[in-house]
Amino acid sequence: MLYQERRDFIRKTLIGGLLSAIQLPLLAADDSPIAQELLKKRFSLPKSDADWAKVRKQFPLNDKPVYFNSAGLGPSPEVVVDTLCEWTKKLEELGDTGRKYTKSPHQTLADFFGVPQFSVAVTRNTTEGINIVARSLDLKPGDEVILTRHEHIGGSAAWVALHKEIGIQVKLVELDLSGKENFDRITQAVTDKTKVISFSHITCTTGLRLPAKEIAQFCRERGIYSCVDGAQSAGMIRVNLSEMNPDFYVSSGHKWLMGPKGSGLLYINPETIKNITPIFSGAYTDSEFDLANLEMKYIQKTTREEYGTRNAPQVLALESAVKFLNQFGIDEIEKRGLHLAEYLKKGLNEIPEIEVISPMDREYASAIVTFRIKGMPFHDAYLDLMKTYRCRLRVIFENDLEAIRASCAIYNTEKDLDFLLESLRTMVAVNAQKEG
């Protein structure tokens, strides 16, 4: 009821007030009723599990199944849904693309990642960002790209496509699941043919945290491009791209950032962009364009990747998601995720039939916990958890791990994890009876 009343208030404010007159200019994003009413702090910084339970009420997500899959698809809080809906309606009423109102969101994103505004572009997802990177580098047959065996298809398919199309060489590195040896394993794979190292900041498989800053520095010292897949780090942990200093960083808006589906992020280092050209051209990619004389110059900004007409409400909703996270502070979010993951690992380790394969050392760990259940096919166990016990997780088939992944997000509580642990104990016991 309160949710509907709040939506009605917003709609009346937007449509019945200042924005109802077409002859008036649209409000700037920061001055809109959405920004003023929905993004104001509505609760104090959570200090206990009970306080974090109140955060759960900001999400329209159903209570069943209990959701542990933010690493796959992060549910959006109400503020994001409202922003997307209201800006869509507002712009449709006025027949406006809304592009001019996306300056504020770009600044919000840039501040969140610690980089200049012009170095960040909003894409559709991580996959689009990786493809832009791969196609922009003008790689030649025989050039070598290093990946890990734990990359998501969205972070690896673009490189495999170039292998098939032009004959680049893709070298795969097996990671140390404890986390300790991965810098050495990756850098020792480099040869004089290596042009790119593309890797996940946090792996989608086990939540393993890789030393992104050190790898990026290694690459820069040797003239190798570094491309960081941040799908599992943006919104989960602090990411300062100025400190990390990679050539490229790509991410999704719809995972830990909890933004609208079909949104993503691309960062191109201001020094790197001088040496590459965009793979798509159109309005907003140019600094000069003269069709009569067939002349065009590209702008040296990552925003050139947002060519043509874009979905401005999605960009504005992504800003709402970041501002929502900023209410807590990314350090508190990271701390919360690690606490929940450690709580879950402790419980899982007390069940003899379960093997935790995510790193235990906090230096290499994240809010992702991946485990196997001995004596049960992983896909059968996943389906049983979903259908019988109403717990939503994700299977991990990548790199033949045959495991199950749980994500510990800010809308989760210890009570949720207790429910999952009890479900697992029951499932294991039932399976043992069947086997017996």
Side-chain angles (χ1 to χ4, degrees):
M1 184 64 180
L2 290 175
Y3 175 65
Q4 185 61 46
E5 289 174 356
R6 183 163 58 81
R7 288 184 66 93
D8 290 341
F9 166 75
I10 298 161
R11 185 171 290 107
K12 290 176 182 177
T13 304
L14 290 173
I15 301 171
L18 291 172
L19 296 173
S20 61
I22 292 181
Q23 67 271 21
L24 295 177
L26 287 171
L27 295 173
D30 280 347
D31 296 330
S32 74
I34 292 173
Q36 292 177 359
E37 297 299 327
L38 293 184
L39 293 175
K40 65 174 57 172
K41 196 169 184 177
R42 293 191 297 277
F43 36 79
S44 58
L45 187 65
K47 298 295 184 183
S48 67
D49 201 55
D51 289 335
W52 281 106
K54 297 176 183 177
V55 175
R56 172 66 180 81
K57 296 179 181 179
Q58 301 297 314
F59 293 80
L61 182 70
N62 290 332
D63 290 330
K64 295 292 184 179
V66 183
Y67 198 80
F68 301 103
N69 192 35
S70 211
L73 191 71
S76 295
E78 291 173 353
V79 60
V80 174
V81 178
D82 287 343
T83 303
L84 182 63
C85 293
E86 299 302 337
W87 272 102
T88 298
K89 184 171 181 60
K90 176 171 63 174
L91 295 176
E92 289 300 325
E93 288 178 341
L94 298 178
D96 195 302
T97 67
R99 189 181 187 105
K100 55 184 171 291
Y101 303 107
T102 61
K103 183 176 181 180
S104 170
H106 281 80
Q107 188 62 61
T108 298
L109 284 167
D111 291 343
F112 189 76
F113 291 100
V115 291
Q117 178 183 329
F118 64 83
S119 66
V120 174
V122 177
T123 60
R124 289 181 294 176
N125 43 51
T126 303
T127 303
E128 183 177 34
I130 288 282
N131 274 272
I132 289 171
V133 173
R135 301 281 173 173
S136 297
L137 294 181
D138 193 28
L139 296 174
K140 301 291 192 295
D143 286 346
E144 187 176 78
V145 176
I146 293 177
L147 308 177
T148 81
R149 291 186 178 274
H150 289 252
E151 301 308 312
H152 188 276
I153 184 174
S156 56
W159 305 111
V160 175
L162 288 179
H163 167 70
K164 294 176 68 68
E165 292 172 23
I166 66 173
I168 70 166
Q169 298 303 305
V170 177
K171 180 182 288 186
L172 302 179
V173 175
E174 184 58 76
L175 294 177
D176 168 19
L177 295 185
S178 76
K180 298 178 181 179
E181 299 179 3
N182 288 320
F183 177 81
D184 290 339
R185 290 194 181 190
I186 291 171
T187 56
Q188 287 173 5
V190 169
T191 69
D192 57 3
K193 295 181 179 180
T194 304
K195 303 297 181 184
V196 185
I197 299 180
S198 184
F199 63 97
S200 294
H201 191 182
I202 292 175
T203 64
C204 70
T205 50
T206 68
L208 178 64
R209 193 183 309 213
L210 297 183
K213 180 179 178 180
E214 290 77 7
I215 295 171
Q217 181 178 346
F218 174 91
C219 290
R220 193 161 301 283
E221 291 171 351
R222 290 159 180 79
I224 299 169
Y225 287 111
S226 58
C227 178
V228 183
D229 179 342
Q232 301 300 340
S233 59
M236 186 213 283
I237 66 172
R238 175 172 291 280
V239 178
N240 187 308
L241 293 176
S242 290
E243 293 179 0
M244 187 188 295
N245 200 26
D247 290 296
F248 307 97
Y249 179 92
V250 300
S251 191
S252 299
H254 62 264
K255 294 184 186 292
W256 298 92
L257 286 172
M258 301 178 187
K261 283 59 187 171
S263 65
L265 171 86
L266 168 64
Y267 164 78
I268 303 178
N269 192 296
E271 291 301 314
T272 305
I273 201 169
K274 298 174 183 178
N275 303 318
I276 61 176
T277 57
I279 58 172
F280 295 108
S281 300
Y284 308 108
T285 63
D286 63 301
S287 59
E288 295 180 21
F289 183 74
D290 184 347
L291 178 59
N293 294 302
L294 302 181
E295 293 181 356
M296 179 172 66
K297 290 184 179 179
Y298 295 120
I299 58 171
Q300 298 303 307
K301 301 178 180 180
T302 308
T303 49
R304 72 189 184 188
E305 301 297 342
E306 298 179 21
Y307 45 85
T309 301
R310 291 282 166 144
N311 189 339
Q314 274 195 322
V315 180
L316 290 156
L318 182 58
E319 178 187 35
S320 293
V322 172
K323 286 187 173 182
F324 177 81
L325 297 181
N326 282 340
Q327 292 181 95
F328 312 105
I330 191 62
D331 291 333
E332 288 296 322
I333 291 171
E334 179 174 354
K335 180 180 176 182
R336 176 65 177 175
L338 287 172
H339 164 72
L340 290 175
E342 289 169 353
Y343 185 93
L344 178 57
K345 289 174 189 175
K346 181 177 182 298
L348 291 173
N349 283 329
E350 293 172 354
I351 304 174
E353 294 83 0
I354 289 181
E355 173 194 11
V356 176
I357 58 176
S358 290
M360 303 302 293
D361 189 333
R362 184 173 270 218
E363 180 180 353
Y364 307 107
S366 70
I368 291 172
V369 179
T370 302
F371 58 93
R372 297 190 185 100
I373 304 174
K374 300 171 185 176
M376 289 191 72
F378 73 109
H379 198 267
D380 291 348
Y382 161 77
L383 290 177
D384 199 17
L385 283 167
M386 179 69 177
K387 295 178 179 179
T388 305
Y389 301 97
R390 306 294 285 157
C391 294
R392 175 70 182 277
L393 297 98
R394 197 259 211 197
V395 293
I396 295 298
F397 52 83
E398 289 88 351
N399 201 26
D400 298 325
L401 288 181
E402 298 189 350
I404 299 173
R405 182 186 72 192
S407 306
C408 302
I410 59 172
Y411 52 79
N412 290 126
T413 64
E414 292 177 5
K415 183 179 178 181
D416 292 337
L417 298 178
D418 288 338
F419 180 80
L420 173 59
L421 288 167
E422 184 58 34
S423 298
L424 286 166
R425 292 188 193 99
T426 303
M427 187 174 71
V428 166
V430 170
N431 184 64
Q433 284 185 329
K434 291 179 180 178
E435 294 296 318

